[in-house]
Amino acid sequence: QWNRDGRLQGHLDVDLSRRGLEQAHLLAAALRTERIDAFYTSDLKRAYLTAEILAAGREVSIDARFREANMGLFQ
């Protein structure tokens, strides 16, 4: 939702919207025939939920170093 609203998220742990979930599932379907050897994501909900959908049960490596830039007061 924040992307749609044009808001900066940075390190704020914002959930995926219903549309975000739909987009993740559509992307997973589009990538189904691609060989993907590893999945890496930040520890923020919106990122790791997307990665888990794409990984479809395969291992997902979660690391806070993959977070977006911290936007401080602008978040």
Side-chain angles (χ1 to χ4, degrees):
Q1 183 62 44
W2 281 32
N3 284 344
R4 189 172 156 198
D5 295 343
R7 297 174 66 184
L8 295 174
Q9 299 167 79
H11 282 199
L12 295 178
D13 206 6
V14 179
D15 285 320
L16 282 175
S17 66
R18 180 175 293 145
R19 179 69 181 138
L21 288 169
E22 291 171 2
Q23 290 173 330
H25 285 285
L26 288 170
L27 180 58
L31 295 175
R32 189 174 341 166
T33 60
E34 299 297 321
R35 179 180 169 188
I36 301 175
D37 295 322
F39 295 87
Y40 297 91
T41 182
S42 80
D43 60 334
L44 298 175
K45 288 183 276 191
R46 63 184 179 273
Y48 72 71
L49 182 54
T50 300
E52 287 176 347
I53 291 168
L54 296 177
R58 293 174 282 174
E59 182 180 351
V60 175
S61 296
I62 299 172
D63 190 326
R65 294 175 293 177
F66 286 111
R67 282 185 175 193
E68 295 176 54
N70 185 335
M71 301 295 179
L73 296 175
F74 295 104
Q75 299 182 142

